Amino acid sequence: MPSGYRRIADDRYREVVGLGYHELPEGMVIEHRPGRTVTETDNVLMTTLGGNDAPIHTDARYSSLTEWGRPLVCSSITLHIVGGMTVRSTSGLTLANLGFDEIRFTHPVFVGDTLYAETEITGRRLSKSRPDTGIVTCRTTGHNQHGDTVVIFTRSFFVPVDADAARDETNY
């Protein structure tokens, strides 16, 4: 069977989305691919949607007069893109995000930068209130095409203990 797929019938496979509690051991590191190039559209739409009209993000002339010489991509966009890159492999089966902690933006991001992410599972435990659920904690690092770290954050989320049962029940 090809890696990353589940056999669901003779000659039929389904892509695996997300991992379950037992598939996310502490210390595991996942390099998320593909990378994601930030576009002007990303910056304009997501900044506008979030209501952040700071000229450093939206006004090319204003930004040209700053130390950066061009608009910065809003940090919440960086967090959203890098966090989103992790979902398919880490928390695609999640029942809920529990929190984002220790968020640090360590290098500016500009339109045209390509972002990559990697996640280390830093802890996990069974839920006391939900016996069929585990709580996984991970630390994600996002970096640009030059290898500069742009964001680091910790996230905790619920995942099913029996991933295959969850996949069967939800047709995933």
Side-chain angles (χ1 to χ4, degrees):
M1 174 177 357
S3 181
Y5 295 83
R6 289 179 17 145
R7 183 184 170 144
I8 57 172
D10 288 341
D11 298 322
R12 185 178 276 293
Y13 298 87
R14 184 172 295 139
E15 290 180 286
V16 172
V17 175
L19 299 173
Y21 181 77
H22 297 294
E23 298 166 313
L24 292 164
E26 194 167 330
M28 176 184 194
V29 176
I30 300 168
E31 294 184 11
H32 306 284
R33 294 297 184 270
R36 173 72 158 67
T37 301
V38 182
T39 68
E40 181 74 25
T41 301
D42 295 328
N43 195 43
V44 171
L45 288 178
M46 293 174 74
T47 300
T48 304
L49 180 64
N52 182 347
D53 59 359
I56 193 68
H57 304 306
T58 61
D59 185 325
R61 176 154 189 332
Y62 174 90
S63 299
S64 73
L65 302 173
T66 70
E67 67 181 285
W68 310 114
R70 56 189 164 155
L72 289 174
V73 170
C74 182
S75 56
S76 62
I77 296 168
T78 300
L79 178 64
H80 185 81
I81 290 173
V82 171
M85 291 172 70
T86 72
V87 170
R88 182 170 189 81
S89 52
T90 59
S91 59
L93 295 176
T94 193
L95 304 168
N97 266 321
L98 300 175
F100 285 81
D101 296 300
E102 303 169 344
I103 302 168
R104 299 287 178 264
F105 299 99
T106 55
H107 193 276
V109 174
F110 302 101
V111 167
D113 282 347
T114 299
L115 303 179
Y116 300 91
E118 76 174 40
T119 298
E120 179 182 1
I121 307 305
T122 58
R124 66 181 194 149
R125 68 175 177 81
L126 295 172
S127 172
K128 294 175 184 142
S129 62
R130 297 176 178 219
D132 59 341
T133 304
I135 298 171
V136 173
T137 302
C138 60
R139 185 140 182 94
T140 297
T141 303
H143 57 276
N144 66 17
Q145 69 276 9
H146 304 295
D148 300 315
T149 298
V150 299
V151 64
I152 301 170
F153 59 90
T154 300
R155 179 169 69 111
S156 296
F157 49 92
F158 279 133
V159 291
V161 171
D162 187 345
D164 284 335
R167 290 177 181 124
D168 291 342
E169 184 177 328
T170 59
N171 202 27
Y172 269 79

